[in-house]
Amino acid sequence: MPAAYGFTAYGGPEVQRFLDPPRPVPGPGELLVEVHAAGVNPVDWKVRAGMHRAFLHLDLPAVLGREAAGVVVRLGEGVDAFAVGDPVFGTTDRGCGGYARFALLTASRTALKPAEVSFTDAAVLPVAVGTAYDGIAQLAPKAGESLLILGIGGGVGVAAAQLAHAAGVSVAGTAAAAKRGFVESLGATVIPYDGAAFGERLRTALPNGVDAILDLVGGDALRSVLPVISLGCRILTVADPETAARFGAHPLKRESTTETLTELARRVADGRLDPHVRSVFPFEDAEAALREVESGHPWGKVALDLRAHR
């Protein structure tokens, strides 16, 4: 079997292929992990498309994947919080490398995997679920307040809805009408963005506006919810800085620490949080897994299982 899946040049899906790079060697602050599962995220195809070239410098060909879970096989210099044989999950070093038999994880952004948490669930926690945790922490909605999540049906939105709902926050979110049942199962009110009369549905669902908005869409998403942006509304966004400034929004900042990942795994283990891994592909179907995410319409999270074979 090939050792990894990645891309040989910046561009579309046609530049993706299986690769056979040498096994990585962990440097200071790194772990070498035998990967059991890897999360598949929109950031992966954006890296391949060259959207992150300005700040993520890669030598091509490069292996895709920003998060993974597996078993430690080697420790880099200065790593003393983990041991060989530990089941772990975390963020891949240098922002790529997770779609592989062996991957490097950054120790300061890696945590031990509880026995109650599957490798596929653990693998999808660092990026989307970690982003949701950071977003809710930065907005700090209190019990009884209202939160509107733009793009609630994706991996980040699904986790953010659960985290806010568990804190006693009244949650609503925009999503495709087809996801109504799924979103409502998270304890949130869905406001379908497709079809006519979105503004009317928005005002009906939130007649008094909202206390906070988590924008996970960018673009024109904030403009579309102007009717519920009242004075004092706290807004966190993934939109570009110019758009953010126009609406008085703040950028969503990532922390992704070992402590955060440990807390997320604890919540999954005791049933308070479900990352909703809806699609698990064997490694040989990595192309199909990324295609599902790149389509822009997955429900919940997508993962690769590197131990599964058809």
Side-chain angles (χ1 to χ4, degrees):
M1 288 292 295
Y5 187 77
F7 61 105
T8 57
Y10 291 109
E14 71 280 356
V15 302
Q16 297 168 190
R17 55 186 43 84
F18 283 100
L19 306 169
D20 197 20
R23 183 179 299 189
V25 176
E30 298 174 344
L31 308 166
L32 179 64
V33 172
E34 183 178 6
V35 178
H36 288 192
V40 182
N41 295 283
V43 69
D44 299 336
W45 68 261
K46 291 176 182 177
V47 167
R48 180 214 68 214
M51 296 181 184
H52 294 184
R53 292 176 70 177
F55 53 88
L56 181 61
H57 305 289
L58 299 175
D59 294 325
L60 301 182
V63 178
L64 290 163
R66 189 159 288 195
E67 57 186 355
V71 175
V72 177
V73 295
R74 188 173 173 182
L75 303 173
E77 181 183 348
V79 178
D80 53 16
F82 303 97
V84 171
D86 280 346
V88 298
F89 67 102
T91 304
T92 53
D93 185 61
R94 305 181 188 92
C96 61
Y99 297 8
R101 299 291 177 183
F102 294 91
L104 295 177
L105 301 185
T106 302
S108 62
R109 292 180 291 163
T110 296
L112 292 171
K113 183 191 77 66
E116 301 87 349
V117 179
S118 69
F119 279 103
T120 49
D121 276 358
V124 304
L125 296 180
V127 175
V129 183
T131 298
Y133 186 90
D134 291 339
I136 296 300
Q138 289 165 46
L139 280 173
K142 300 178 178 63
E145 287 193 320
S146 56
L147 170 68
L148 174 61
I149 301 174
L150 308 184
I152 197 172
V156 180
V158 165
Q162 294 176 77
L163 293 168
H165 179 70
V169 177
S170 176
V171 183
T174 61
K179 293 185 179 181
R180 179 186 294 277
F182 175 49
V183 171
E184 290 178 345
S185 74
L186 306 174
T189 298
V190 64
I191 305 170
Y193 58 69
D194 42 357
F198 170 73
E200 181 179 338
R201 290 194 296 271
L202 182 71
R203 286 187 291 271
T204 299
L206 302 167
N208 299 316
V210 289
D211 297 300
I213 294 175
L214 179 59
D215 169 31
L216 304 172
V217 181
D220 292 328
L222 287 175
R223 184 186 304 279
S224 72
V225 297
L226 274 173
V228 297
I229 299 179
S230 54
L231 186 65
C233 179
R234 310 186 301 278
I235 306 174
L236 206 61
T237 182
V238 297
D240 61 89
E242 182 179 338
T243 300
R246 189 183 314 141
F247 294 95
H250 296 281
L252 197 163
K253 298 179 181 178
R254 290 303 320 278
E255 298 293 338
S256 190
T257 63
T258 295
E259 291 73 23
T260 293
L261 296 179
T262 299
E263 173 61 19
L264 291 173
R266 185 181 299 120
R267 295 187 185 211
V268 175
D270 65 21
R272 287 179 292 161
L273 178 65
D274 184 349
H276 284 278
V277 179
R278 301 292 291 260
S279 299
V280 179
F281 291 80
F283 184 42
E284 56 263 42
D285 287 342
E287 179 184 1
L290 191 54
R291 182 168 61 248
E292 178 167 325
V293 171
E294 192 166 359
S295 73
H297 301 290
W299 294 46
K301 291 298 301 170
V302 176
L304 290 175
D305 187 340
L306 281 86
R307 299 170 299 170
H309 301 284
R310 288 181 299 181

